[in-house]
Amino acid sequence: MVATRLDPIDRKILSELQADGRMTNVELAKRVGISAPPCLRRVRTLEESGLIKGYHAEVDSRELGFEVQVFAMVGLDSQAEAELSRFEERCRSWPLVRECHMLNGEVDFMLKCVAPDLSSFQSFLTEELLTAPNVSSVKTSLVIRCAKDDPGVPFEVLEERLSRSA
Amino acid sequence: MVATRLDPIDRKILSELQADGRMTNVELAKRVGISAPPCLRRVRTLEESGLIKGYHAEVDSRELGFEVQVFAMVGLDSQAEAELSRFEERCRSWPLVRECHMLNGEVDFMLKCVAPDLSSFQSFLTEELLTAPNVSSVKTSLVIRCAKDDPGVPFEVLEERLSRSA
DNA sequence: CAGCACGCGCAATAATATTTCGCTGCGGCG
DNA sequence: CGCCGCAGCGAAATATTATTGCGCGTGCTG
């Protein structure tokens, strides 16, 4: 990891931008305690180094008409690398699938899906996911409500850890 | 849902800002096909209506030293509302827990956790999660690799759906 | 068909981003 | 030790962007 090259100011920048990605550079500079130009240079460096992978607006999915959120646990018949990749590629092509994680243990993949309503998810499930090649089992769990949905990483933990090792 | 009040331009704005939340307003206006001032007015309206809940920088968690990502499926002893809320509140106070979703079915909660390494996750698991009141069972699954991690909702699906109902 | 409300674009202004420049502190090297 | 070169800073200048005010057209509504 490249994080060791980051000084406390860089980490503060990342933390602030994770919390509010549209903060002006002036405001950001004020918060991290340096002037605007070096602050912008640091942000650009963080972007170019790939530590900042992008910026996104967080939208209200329910209000936008996506009432249904589902976790799908998928088991495959073959776990050969070629088959794994094929399944991942398929997931990337399904818009309803927002996340696809390969897991250890009995279940091979965890998918997070979003759909306008139950019936559209059902048809995705039966017509796409269950009929996809190599898929042996799918267990789905509907999200009843969401208590927490924080993006990114807990910088507090990082700081705590660094202060201990210092 | 309030989405019916949105015209195609508003939806395009949301879609563009979800993909790139730091786009300048002039660029955004160009893409959605109107001039800058009305575009900015629309963005402000979307923000005030809560349809845009915020903006976030997407950071590279591995590079930042968070090597471990885990899904934890939690079962509780009591599912009384007061107990559910209490557990949710506890999840909000744990930095390592980034998401907490209540599910239907046998498992009560799905947690997405992030940690610097396996041992720090283990200590969280044994010292915090497993010892929390009312927690009866926890099954964890380590993320081996991530094939897809798209934020937000698939606007393509929304458009398709609206064009059918039109 | 007049009046009204709404949303647009244009032009002007304010704020912000970005570049340029010179200063300063720090570590390597003569 | 003292000099040099580098890296990072801040101030100032400039370019770009955000924001406001205003007049115009369009489409309801009476």
Side-chain angles (χ1 to χ4, degrees):
Chain A
M1 82 178 146
V2 82
T4 42
R5 288 177 231 155
L6 298 178
D7 66 10
I9 294 180
D10 287 317
R11 293 196 299 271
K12 190 88 194 298
I13 287 176
L14 290 169
S15 166
E16 293 288 342
L17 286 180
Q18 177 175 276
D20 178 4
R22 255 207 139 160
M23 193 180 301
T24 67
N25 183 57
V26 181
E27 173 65 20
L28 181 61
K30 196 186 309 171
R31 295 201 188 189
V32 305
I34 58 178
S35 67
C39 182
L40 189 62
R41 280 193 289 262
R42 280 165 181 264
V43 172
R44 293 284 177 266
T45 305
L46 291 169
E47 287 168 355
E48 279 156 28
S49 75
L51 262 153
I52 294 179
K53 297 202 277 185
Y55 301 89
H56 307 283
E58 179 192 358
V59 304
D60 189 322
S61 36
R62 303 245 170 203
E63 284 299 315
L64 263 170
F66 292 88
E67 314 262 346
V68 170
Q69 192 159 340
V70 183
F71 285 97
M73 281 149 281
V74 179
L76 300 186
D77 287 318
S78 158
Q79 282 86 23
E81 176 54 35
E83 295 300 325
L84 297 174
S85 302
R86 221 185 306 278
F87 179 72
E88 290 179 335
E89 195 44 59
R90 218 171 282 272
C91 285
R92 285 192 208 98
S93 76
W94 284 321
L96 291 192
V97 175
R98 307 310 290 166
E99 299 179 21
C100 170
H101 307 273
M102 190 189 299
L103 302 182
N104 76 340
E106 43 189 320
V107 168
D108 295 309
F109 285 94
M110 170 80 74
L111 272 43
K112 190 200 271 186
C113 308
V114 157
D117 52 43
L118 213 42
S119 77
S120 63
F121 176 74
Q122 299 281 21
S123 56
F124 162 73
L125 179 61
T126 57
E127 292 161 29
E128 303 278 351
L129 186 52
L130 282 168
T131 61
N134 196 32
V135 168
S136 78
S137 75
V138 178
K139 276 179 61 169
T140 61
S141 279
L142 224 97
V143 173
I144 306 286
R145 72 187 190 205
C146 179
K148 184 176 189 178
D149 196 2
D150 286 1
V153 301
F155 281 95
E156 346 157 27
V157 172
L158 187 60
E159 293 301 335
E160 194 191 317
R161 158 165 290 251
L162 287 172
S163 68
R164 259 206 313 277
S165 70
Chain B
M1 84 177 146
V2 82
T4 43
R5 286 177 231 153
L6 297 178
D7 66 10
I9 294 179
D10 286 318
R11 294 197 298 272
K12 189 90 194 295
I13 287 175
L14 290 169
S15 167
E16 293 289 343
L17 285 181
Q18 177 175 277
D20 178 4
R22 256 208 139 157
M23 193 181 301
T24 67
N25 183 58
V26 257
E27 173 65 20
L28 181 62
K30 195 186 309 172
R31 293 200 190 189
V32 305
I34 59 179
S35 66
C39 183
L40 188 62
R41 281 192 288 263
R42 279 165 181 264
V43 171
R44 293 286 176 263
T45 305
L46 291 169
E47 287 168 356
E48 278 156 27
S49 74
L51 262 152
I52 295 178
K53 297 202 278 184
Y55 301 89
H56 306 284
E58 179 193 358
V59 304
D60 189 319
S61 34
R62 305 245 170 203
E63 283 299 314
L64 263 169
F66 292 88
E67 315 261 345
V68 170
Q69 192 160 339
V70 183
F71 286 97
M73 282 149 280
V74 178
L76 300 186
D77 287 317
S78 159
Q79 282 84 22
E81 176 54 34
E83 294 300 326
L84 296 173
S85 302
R86 220 183 308 278
F87 178 71
E88 290 179 335
E89 195 44 59
R90 218 172 283 272
C91 285
R92 284 191 210 98
S93 77
W94 285 320
L96 290 193
V97 175
R98 307 311 290 167
E99 300 180 22
C100 169
H101 307 275
M102 191 189 301
L103 303 182
N104 75 343
E106 43 189 318
V107 168
D108 294 309
F109 286 93
M110 170 79 75
L111 271 43
K112 190 199 271 185
C113 307
V114 157
D117 52 43
L118 213 41
S119 77
S120 63
F121 176 75
Q122 300 281 19
S123 56
F124 161 73
L125 180 61
T126 55
E127 292 161 29
E128 303 278 351
L129 186 52
L130 283 168
T131 61
N134 196 34
V135 168
S136 77
S137 75
V138 178
K139 275 179 61 170
T140 60
S141 279
L142 223 98
V143 173
I144 305 286
R145 71 185 191 207
C146 179
K148 185 176 188 176
D149 196 2
D150 286 2
V153 301
F155 280 97
E156 348 156 27
V157 172
L158 187 61
E159 294 300 335
E160 194 192 317
R161 159 163 288 250
L162 288 172
S163 68
R164 261 205 313 279
S165 71

